[in-house]
Amino acid sequence: MNKWINNNNFAKILAIAVSIILWSMVHLNNDNTPTPTTKIETRIIENVKVQPYGLDEKKYILSAMDTDRVRIEIKGKKMDLISAFTGEYRIKLDLTNAKVGTSTLPLSVDLPKGLEVVNIQPSSVTVNIEERNTATFPVSIVTKGTPAEGYLLGKIAPQPATVKVTLPESQLREVAKVQGIMTIDGEDATMKDKRVKLSVYDKQGQVIEGAVLDPPSVSIDVPITPPYKEVPIEMKYTGKLPEGLVISKAQANVSKVKLYGPQEALAGVKSYSNINVDLSKITTAGTVVLPVDLTPPPGFEKIEPSSLQVEITTVSNSQRVINDIPITIKNDSGGSLQATITNPASKTMSLALNGAPGLLNTLTKNDIQLIASIDGLKPGTHEVTLQVILPRYVSRADPGTPLIATIEIKETANKPAVTNPDTGTGGNEADKNPGAGPEEQVGTDTADPTENQGTTGDTGENGGN
């Protein structure tokens, strides 16, 4: 060891090593100077939307909130502030435990990573929570515009006819109607299966926003038809009843029909008489229902209904004689003639009648007309065949035998000769059946009822001769 120490070269090397160590120690201590700190900045963001959550919207509704926007001040590194999007700043309102009524609740802030909230204004909001209630309302449909010229709009029936409306109780009390609007301008045919969106209106006619409708729309058919006219029906009969049977009652299940067609055709129609009831289908006494198909008359588009049913009751024939039926003289041509019935002297006749027992038992002489028409006759004595007018479903027992009255006609300068055995006037009753010829029996012969017209009610069934 002493040898190494006493060696001059070793001593030099050792000195150099110690110098290096000391230099290193000095310079390493100088490197512990502090690094500069990162700068923190702040930013103010206006009008950040409040986002409510946690409310059971099936049962409750947030009906009011004193503000839905807030102002926040945040801080963070400049780069973090620059890189954050506005949509990443979330102001939340927890309504999970909110009660019905008015309450003040705190706001919470959800910020991007690296940022902190400094201040929020306001830090709480006042809200009002209401229960949702549901009520059922009828649906009404209003139309906008008009159909094509001459066409008619029918009744619109929405399906379903009612809907459920859900609103806060305070708004539900203000509901006046649930309504949809359908445009029909210029339409000339029925519009089928159209969907119409519904709106809820308050008592001032304003739409209530936020209403929940179930369903939100309805299906409708919009009937658009040609012009029509409702007219009474007149039944006619074809075929013959079995021997010994007469009609006691005949009643259709409708009394009127609708005829659709041009206005010109509708103006001239008074009734619908193309209803032929086939009596040959009746085989025994009793009540039967006969179907009859209806067809529109020439010049008309359609008829409603397209068919009807006639209920006919038949009974065994009965007979009765009605006495002292007055003869009425009819003179439609006017002129200065005076007519007098000379035969029969009583100016009355008796008639043997067939019909249902109940009807015959109620008949009186005032229900029957015997008319002697002197139209076109000159002064002198004339044998005039009488026109017989009987109630429906009543006929003469001897229809082949004419009824004759002797009339004496004289010329007078004062007034036309019209004689009525009861009142001294004539012609008015006969005018109820214009155009009837001698021995014409309107609605009388049930064995051959092809001349019967019009509908009838119950004429009665009970009783005898």
Side-chain angles (χ1 to χ4, degrees):
M1 174 64 77
N2 289 332
K3 182 179 178 180
W4 286 100
I5 294 174
N6 293 326
N7 188 297
N8 188 37
N9 290 333
F10 176 77
K12 291 179 181 179
I13 293 171
L14 182 61
I16 291 171
V18 171
S19 299
I20 292 172
I21 292 172
L22 291 175
W23 182 86
S24 298
M25 292 177 62
V26 171
H27 284 277
L28 285 174
N29 289 335
N30 290 339
D31 290 339
N32 288 332
T33 56
T35 59
T37 59
T38 303
K39 186 177 181 180
I40 301 298
E41 296 186 1
T42 61
R43 174 178 290 181
I44 294 175
I45 302 175
E46 304 282 355
N47 296 320
V48 182
K49 186 174 179 62
V50 176
Q51 301 177 14
Y53 71 96
L55 184 66
D56 185 353
E57 295 185 353
K58 292 183 178 179
K59 297 181 178 179
Y60 307 100
I61 186 171
L62 176 61
S63 61
M65 186 165 60
D66 62 351
T67 182
D68 64 346
R69 304 278 175 173
V70 297
R71 172 183 180 272
I72 59 173
E73 182 179 0
I74 56 175
K75 68 178 181 179
K77 297 178 182 179
K78 183 176 182 179
M79 185 58 66
D80 291 336
L81 291 171
I82 294 174
S83 61
F85 294 101
T86 302
E88 295 182 276
Y89 303 110
R90 296 184 178 90
I91 308 300
K92 294 186 175 182
L93 173 62
D94 187 0
L95 299 177
T96 303
N97 299 315
K99 306 296 184 183
V100 173
T102 301
S103 57
T104 301
L105 301 174
L107 298 173
S108 61
V109 184
D110 186 4
L111 297 177
K113 185 178 179 180
L115 301 180
E116 297 179 21
V117 64
V118 177
N119 187 27
I120 176 172
Q121 290 294 330
S123 60
S124 62
V125 294
T126 300
V127 298
N128 188 65
I129 305 295
E130 290 188 62
E131 284 188 284
R132 286 184 183 270
N133 282 331
T134 299
T136 300
F137 293 89
V139 175
S140 62
I141 303 295
V142 297
T143 56
K144 182 185 293 185
T146 56
E149 184 177 357
Y151 282 75
L152 303 176
L153 173 65
K155 184 178 180 180
I156 300 175
Q159 293 295 330
T162 61
V163 295
K164 293 180 179 180
V165 177
T166 301
L167 279 169
E169 180 61 33
S170 60
Q171 289 182 295
L172 197 61
R173 289 193 296 267
E174 295 298 314
V175 174
K177 60 185 176 181
V178 177
Q179 183 176 281
I181 299 175
M182 186 68 194
T183 300
I184 60 167
D185 205 23
E187 297 292 337
D188 60 1
T190 295
M191 306 166 67
K192 290 187 173 292
D193 198 24
K194 298 295 182 180
R195 299 298 301 183
V196 177
K197 185 179 179 181
L198 302 176
S199 297
V200 180
Y201 293 84
D202 62 19
K203 297 174 183 177
Q204 287 71 45
Q206 301 299 315
V207 175
I208 300 178
E209 301 293 345
V212 179
L213 292 97
D214 182 25
S217 63
V218 293
S219 175
I220 63 171
D221 289 345
V222 184
I224 297 177
T225 60
Y228 73 87
K229 186 175 183 179
E230 196 171 43
V231 295
I233 63 172
E234 296 179 358
M235 291 190 294
K236 296 180 180 179
Y237 298 92
T238 62
K240 291 182 179 293
L241 289 171
E243 188 70 26
L245 292 185
V246 291
I247 294 177
S248 172
K249 180 180 70 173
Q251 183 70 51
N253 64 335
V254 297
S255 60
K256 295 182 178 181
V257 295
K258 290 181 180 179
L259 295 174
Y260 294 81
Q263 293 284 8
E264 301 78 14
L266 292 173
V269 66
K270 302 299 181 184
S271 64
Y272 178 77
S273 59
N274 191 24
I275 302 175
N276 296 312
V277 182
D278 186 1
L279 297 180
S280 64
K281 295 180 179 180
I282 300 174
T283 58
T284 59
T287 299
V288 297
V289 176
L290 300 179
V292 180
D293 291 330
L294 305 182
T295 57
F300 290 85
E301 295 185 19
K302 69 173 182 175
I303 184 172
E304 289 182 348
S306 59
S307 65
L308 56 76
Q309 293 181 326
V310 181
E311 182 181 284
I312 299 180
T313 299
T314 56
V315 297
S316 296
N317 181 43
S318 184
Q319 192 173 98
R320 181 186 174 193
V321 175
I322 305 293
N323 298 314
D324 301 322
I325 303 169
I327 301 172
T328 301
I329 295 178
K330 178 182 177 183
N331 181 15
D332 289 335
S333 60
S336 57
L337 297 177
Q338 181 180 0
T340 304
I341 301 172
T342 60
N343 185 39
S346 64
K347 302 179 177 59
T348 64
M349 284 189 177
S350 298
L351 285 181
L353 302 177
N354 289 331
L359 176 57
L360 292 180
N361 286 343
T362 62
L363 281 182
T364 69
K365 63 181 181 179
N366 295 325
D367 299 318
I368 303 167
Q369 297 181 59
L370 299 178
I371 299 174
S373 176
I374 63 171
D375 291 344
L377 298 182
K378 298 184 181 299
T381 301
H382 302 272
E383 301 292 320
V384 177
T385 301
L386 301 182
Q387 175 188 348
V388 181
I389 300 179
L390 298 173
R392 182 158 240 196
Y393 308 130
V394 174
S395 64
R396 289 181 58 196
D398 52 349
T401 303
L403 300 180
I404 305 295
T406 303
I407 309 294
E408 184 180 0
I409 301 175
K410 295 180 180 180
E411 203 163 354
T412 176
N414 295 325
K415 58 181 180 179
V418 178
T419 303
N420 185 293
D422 293 331
T423 64
T425 61
N428 291 334
E429 290 298 320
D431 288 343
K432 295 180 181 178
N433 292 276
E439 285 297 317
E440 180 180 349
Q441 301 176 21
V442 179
T444 62
D445 191 350
T446 55
D448 185 12
T450 57
E451 294 184 2
N452 293 345
Q453 297 182 352
T455 57
T456 181
D458 194 348
T459 60
E461 297 179 20
N462 299 322
N465 291 332

